[in-house]
Amino acid sequence: VGDSGTILTSSDGITWHNRTSGSTEMLWQITYSNSTFVTVGGSGTILTSSDGTTWTSRTSGVQNFLYQVTHGNNTFVLVGENGIILTSSDATTWTPMTSGTSNDLYGVRYVNSKFMVVGQFGTILTSSDNGTTWTSRTSPIDGEINRVIYSNNTFLAVATGGKIITSSDGISWTSRTSGTSNYLYDVVFGNSTFVTVGL
């Protein structure tokens, strides 16, 4: 997914097909779970598809930019500008939740039996009731936290200024030395290794 409602699909990663999204908004991120593709982006855009080919616009009820969507414990949770959090059991009907912050929220994951959200000004939020109530956690950094994962018994989040923070429980966090001051955007874990990338 990408600019101007762009959606491309491929069965082999080699040959790609342009699909009609029905949107001209930037599509920022996409997930697949519960037999459903869900992509989110500008002006509160939510699109869903069962096959990646035919897409349906869903009502978000907001005009804010939506940054990320994830699925866990039979619940979709998405986050966006100004503290926006929406939840859904079917990716069709979305319900706004009170996040307790007006900071932009950039990342959301279902990790270690809880939803975790990260965002602007070092924001870290956790929820153990499928996104209904959220608890703010103290962060050792005040920059933009972009992504968070849980692997190898460790919560790990990456942020602006080359900042990386880790936690064993998702509550108490420790800053780590990355060796760079560049903007870190995303992080994955595979083959016994955490890998982060950025600008």
Side-chain angles (χ1 to χ4, degrees):
V1 296
D3 278 339
S4 303
T6 298
I7 297 178
L8 305 176
T9 66
S10 174
S11 61
D12 57 12
I14 298 171
T15 302
W16 291 84
H17 304 279
N18 194 1
R19 304 302 183 181
T20 300
S21 69
S23 174
T24 58
E25 295 291 340
M26 175 183 282
L27 302 177
W28 191 255
Q29 188 262 341
I30 188 169
T31 194
Y32 179 80
S33 191
N34 201 31
S35 301
T36 305
F37 293 96
V38 184
T39 184
V40 297
S43 301
T45 298
I46 304 173
L47 307 177
T48 66
S49 175
S50 61
D51 57 10
T53 300
T54 302
W55 292 84
T56 301
S57 177
R58 304 300 182 181
T59 300
S60 68
V62 300
Q63 288 297 309
N64 306 69
F65 201 103
L66 304 178
Y67 286 106
Q68 191 170 36
V69 58
T70 195
H71 184 267
N73 200 29
N74 301 311
T75 304
F76 289 94
V77 176
L78 64 79
V79 297
E81 286 182 314
N82 304 124
I84 290 292
I85 297 178
L86 306 178
T87 68
S88 177
S89 60
D90 57 8
T92 299
T93 302
W94 294 85
T95 302
M97 296 298 170
T98 300
S99 67
T101 182
S102 59
N103 294 340
D104 291 349
L105 303 176
Y106 301 126
V108 57
R109 290 279 175 89
Y110 185 72
V111 288
N112 201 27
S113 301
K114 64 170 67 72
F115 284 97
M116 181 168 290
V117 168
V118 294
Q120 193 178 29
F121 304 126
T123 299
I124 301 173
L125 308 175
T126 61
S127 175
S128 299
D129 58 4
N130 280 4
T132 301
T133 57
W134 294 87
T135 301
S136 179
R137 305 301 182 181
T138 300
S139 169
I141 60 176
D142 58 7
E144 297 177 356
I145 305 177
N146 295 306
R147 291 292 185 267
V148 61
I149 63 171
Y150 178 81
S151 290
N152 200 30
N153 299 314
T154 302
F155 294 90
L156 188 146
V158 297
T160 56
K163 294 176 181 177
I164 296 173
I165 57 176
T166 64
S167 173
S168 61
D169 57 10
I171 298 173
S172 299
W173 292 81
T174 301
S175 294
R176 304 300 181 183
T177 301
S178 71
T180 182
S181 60
N182 292 343
Y183 186 108
L184 300 178
Y185 179 74
D186 207 355
V187 60
V188 297
F189 181 84
N191 197 26
S192 302
T193 304
F194 289 96
V195 177
T196 182
V197 295
L199 298 177

